[in-house]
Amino acid sequence: MILERLTVGPFQENCYILGDEDSGLGAVIDPGDEAARIALAVEQTGLEVASIIVTHAHIDHVGAVAALVDEYACPVLMHAEAETMLAQLPTQAVMMGLRFGRVPAVDRHVEDEEVLEVGNLRLRSLYTPGHAPGHLAFYVEGEGVVLSGDALFAGSVGRVDLGGGSMEVLMKSIEERLLTLPDDTIVYPGHGPATTIGDERASNPFLGGGGLL
Ligand SMILES: [Zn+2]
Ligand SMILES: [Zn+2]
């Protein structure tokens, strides 16, 4: 498995390039900004991008989607419940002093427990709302890896004060869909360093594991 992380844009968001050597096919997950830099990194992997996968429609996760669709002419995958937020991004960007540009079209709506094939890799979608509507995490079957989006971070959890957020819903998502994964599963979050499910279960202060809160 090829898995590369690029931290992009003013929000220091983690974009991931995922693929497998055998088929040469890959996916870009959450291209939030710096499309040219992402495209260069893709080129260096030698992968052919077959899809762009979005965990949720916050501006820092989708800012480079339209530019990369122009580059790869590949489908964009996202949960249907994230569409409203996606459509509001140009207006929201102006309020933040940013420019969003063209809203990308989503080609396929992904539901809970779907298996997305990226070459020989199998990404199982985990519906994990609470941080944002229609938030999805992706468990890479057989690789011991989960892309957790902004639901779970090393030592923290996603904020819930943006539109459609709920701490109660987020905690349920984390407990039922992420902490149920094997302890040695490596978590690659939307911001900050990687961690493991076991480490977060043991020490994440938001998860009642004996931390500070
Ligand atoms: Zn977010
Ligand atoms: Zn984010």
Side-chain angles (χ1 to χ4, degrees), residues 11-14 30 55-56 58-61 131 149-150 153 159 162 190-191:
F11 300 96
Q12 294 287 284
E13 185 264 346
N14 291 331
D30 284 359
T55 61
H56 65 295
H58 279 159
I59 191 165
D60 53 328
H61 294 252
H131 167 71
D150 283 1
F153 302 120
R159 54 190 288 186
L162 303 169
H191 300 269

Side-chain angles (χ1 to χ4, degrees), residues 47-117:
L47 290 167
E48 180 191 333
V49 175
S51 56
I52 293 170
I53 301 173
V54 172
T55 61
H56 65 295
H58 279 159
I59 191 165
D60 53 328
H61 294 252
V62 295
V65 171
L68 290 182
V69 168
D70 288 346
E71 181 83 24
Y72 303 118
C74 66
V76 176
L77 285 66
M78 187 183 80
H79 196 285
E81 289 171 9
E83 286 281 7
T84 305
M85 193 162 261
L86 187 68
Q88 292 167 347
L89 286 181
T91 318
Q92 260 194 12
V94 170
M95 291 191 290
M96 298 163 84
L98 301 169
R99 180 178 176 277
F100 185 71
R102 185 161 44 90
V103 175
V106 174
D107 302 282
R108 178 174 160 196
H109 286 150
V110 180
E111 307 210 6
D112 190 19
E113 291 288 347
E114 279 195 48
V115 173
L116 311 180
E117 291 182 0

